[in-house]
Amino acid sequence: MLLRLRGISKSFGSVQALSQVDLDVPAGTVTALVGDNGAGKSTLIKAISGISPPDSGEIVWKGHEVHVRTPRDATALGIATVYQDLALCDNLDIVQNMWLGHERLRHGLLDETTMERETRQALADLSVVTVRSVRQVVGSLSGGQRQAVAVAKAVMGKAELVIMDEPTAALGVTQTAMVLDVIGQLASRGIAVIVISHNLADVFAVAERVAVMYLGRIAGQGSLSDYDTQRVVELITTGGDSRAFAAGVASAGGSGARLPGRD
Amino acid sequence: MSAQGPGSGSGSTGVEEPSPPAGGAPAAGGVAPLANGAQPSGTPSGSAPLGSFVSLWLRQVRSGESSVLPVVAGFIVLVIIFQTESAVFLSAGNLTNLLVQGATFVLLGMAEVFVLLLGEIDLSIGYNAAVGGTAMALLASQPNPVPWPLAILVGLAVSAFFGVLQGTLITRLGLPSFIVTLAGLLGLEGVLLALLDLNGAAAGGVVQVTSNVISDLVNGNLDNVAGWIVTAALVAVFGTLSIRRDRFRRTNGLHAPPVYVTLAKVVLAAAAGFVLVAICNTNRGSVASPVTGVPWVVLILAAFIASYTFLLGRTRFGRYVYAIGGNPEAARRAGVSLARIRTICFGLSGFTAAAGGIIYASRLGSISSDFDGGSYVLYAVAAAVIGGTSLFGGRGKMIHAVLGGVIIATIYNGLGLLNLSAAVQYMVVALVLLAAVILDALARRQQRVTGR
């Protein structure tokens, strides 16, 4: 197991944003993290990526307990996060964006040759073929292309886990397909991906595992083959699962079968 | 001389310098296949055929990516108007004079480009220029003058210090640059008056430039032959570097313009250099006491443009300046120290402004409380924006300040020749500035439409 969360809790004042979250992320798989607004998806992501560390609980990375206090810690471990706003500079071209902050230098000057080659390679590795030129400014790219550039940038280092926050929100059909393809490419290269999504069609298209959050806890998680759309929707909306007892798989989070009432 | 004399003249430095870093500078002229990214084209483009290069470039111009073309077109129109109205306009003497007049605008414009690229503004550079120029003039003209290089260095350092001071206040305390540099504008006018008072009441608030060397910075000329040699050498270096660089990129399958474009650029630079030297080497004095040669200040400007273009296009610092201007949050997340880069930019702005002040003092032979720093800073902003630098950050090049500065100088020079009143001059500059800002806004809107 690449990443294992145990008993992660986080509260903001009197609001319990995360309570006793357990989550397993195997290497090289795509895990979809779904849940309604306010269910705690973003808070959980921020806990993993070091933006807002949890109050309690353990993060186990490749079998060792680690402390992720800052985004830098997460990057050092190999956890890359692609936020919804992508954090790209529209006025810079693809190469410049990809290397922003860790430019290759040669004799103290920017080594455009190496950076351009490796950028092209990185995009090719993700099967991004629609980009006309890596010297195109990012502002002129389509939404899907921008997403692809942001992903390529994130995995340019030695990322082993990529977290993507709503990568297909606001994208058209073609663009969504392209982004889902990029996600599939990541997994096939052995990189684990956590995708936050509202779009269940996307989830079922690309994910192998699913984790459903409800009011700050994991309502159910497991292999996607054990879930169908109706069951996921039920977990998202009620936090409960009428078939959980029968199937017996939804309780990996420890609370899968409970009713929507508070603990 | 052709109608494009002064344009291509000052352009010789310009056409010449920004090109080496073209691959690095965002939206650089050499970066051809822009926009229209949705066509699946399998192979990422290396060298594009000439036809598609031109069409992409035209699209780039239309979408506001390449703002140099409309500026040059506007400039040519101005030149034609002025030459039709006044036969003196295109005379060698007037064109050289125009170049020299424009030098201060160009330097102040470049100072402003550094902060405009960040999406900030520096209102203080007018008086900061005067303070640097006055510090230099005072040191070089006291009873025991210090050596002229030291005087110049101190002048530059004083203004750079004020720039860094303002930058520090803006970044460390998170104050808006508009207000901090507005305070700088007022405070530095006070500093200017205080410095002028140091010279004693008898001098009447004027410091004379007594050093011949400093006076020659603007008023001295290169020998005719030396002008040819220096220009030929500069063109040769530029040509060799850009041809070699583009060939390297082409053979390695990297993004590069087609060979014709590279050659055209070099030929253009050579032609511009030729025209510039030819104009400057024409006698502009009388038959009895001829005056010829390229003014030193042209070489000084060339050096500034070359080094700043290099700094912005080829170094990490330059990359970060553009990144902060484009999306400060993205730059911050990438680990860029926003405070440091911003402070350095304000320092460079002060430094460059001082160079403008020194050139001003050199040209007039003195500097006094008559210096209107308030107007100068506005012309500096106007020069940068007219040339094509965005007020909103992230888009612009040093060459823009050159184009804009020369255009402002042209308007002043031309309207002066036509004996038009100051009232008309102000209104014309206002219209040109408005036109430039409208172009900028349209370019941004176009980008928003084509982006996504």
Side-chain angles (χ1 to χ4, degrees), chain A residues 72 83 85-93 95-97 99-105 108-110 112-117 120 129-143 145-146 153, chain B residues 23-27 31 33-42 44-45 56 65 248-249 252-255 310 313-316 319-320 322-323 325-327 330-331 333-335 394-395 447 450-452:
Chain A
R72 211 171 280 270
Y83 296 97
D85 62 4
L86 301 183
L88 297 172
C89 296
D90 281 356
N91 60 330
L92 299 186
D93 65 34
V95 179
Q96 295 168 336
N97 265 291
W99 293 91
L100 187 58
H102 51 269
E103 289 83 1
R104 285 290 181 82
L105 298 182
L109 302 175
L110 297 172
E112 300 287 352
T113 310
T114 309
M115 291 195 282
E116 185 171 330
R117 274 202 193 119
R120 204 170 274 176
V129 291
T130 59
V131 174
R132 194 184 172 91
S133 161
V134 289
R135 287 297 179 186
Q136 215 174 334
V137 293
V138 163
S140 70
L141 297 178
S142 70
Q145 290 171 330
R146 292 165 62 87
K153 181 183 173 186
Chain B
V31 181
L34 271 172
N36 188 24
Q39 308 298 325
S41 70
S45 72
L56 281 162
E65 277 301 323
F248 172 82
R249 295 183 65 85
N252 284 277
L254 298 172
H255 184 91
F310 184 84
R314 300 296 280 276
T315 67
R316 209 174 234 184
R319 182 63 42 85
Y320 291 168
Y322 283 102
N327 186 347
R333 282 196 215 157
R395 226 155 42 81
Q447 270 183 338
T450 50
R452 318 236 160 177

Side-chain angles (χ1 to χ4, degrees), chain B residues 17 57 134 178 200 219 253 261 275 287 327 333 336 347 353 370-371 449:
Chain B
E17 305 308 346
W57 181 69
T134 307
F178 187 91
N219 302 311
V261 174
V275 170
V287 181
N327 186 347
R333 282 196 215 157
V336 176
D370 283 348
F371 186 94
V449 173

Side-chain angles (χ1 to χ4, degrees), chain A residues 176-259:
Chain A
T176 300
M178 175 187 154
V179 171
L180 295 181
D181 191 45
V182 167
I183 295 174
Q185 292 288 339
L186 289 178
S188 70
R189 282 163 57 188
I191 297 172
V193 185
I194 299 179
V195 184
I196 295 186
S197 186
H198 270 112
N199 187 333
L200 291 185
D202 293 353
V203 169
F204 280 90
V206 74
E208 292 155 69
R209 290 175 58 83
V210 65
V212 185
M213 293 197 72
Y214 182 78
L215 296 176
R217 59 197 171 78
I218 297 284
Q221 67 173 310
S223 168
L224 203 63
S225 54
D226 297 328
Y227 290 78
D228 55 29
T229 313
Q230 197 197 339
R231 186 161 171 216
V232 172
V233 170
E234 208 176 317
L235 282 167
I236 290 174
T237 50
T238 67
D241 179 353
S242 52
R243 281 176 294 168
F245 291 110
V249 289
S251 54
S255 54
R258 298 202 190 153
L259 289 171

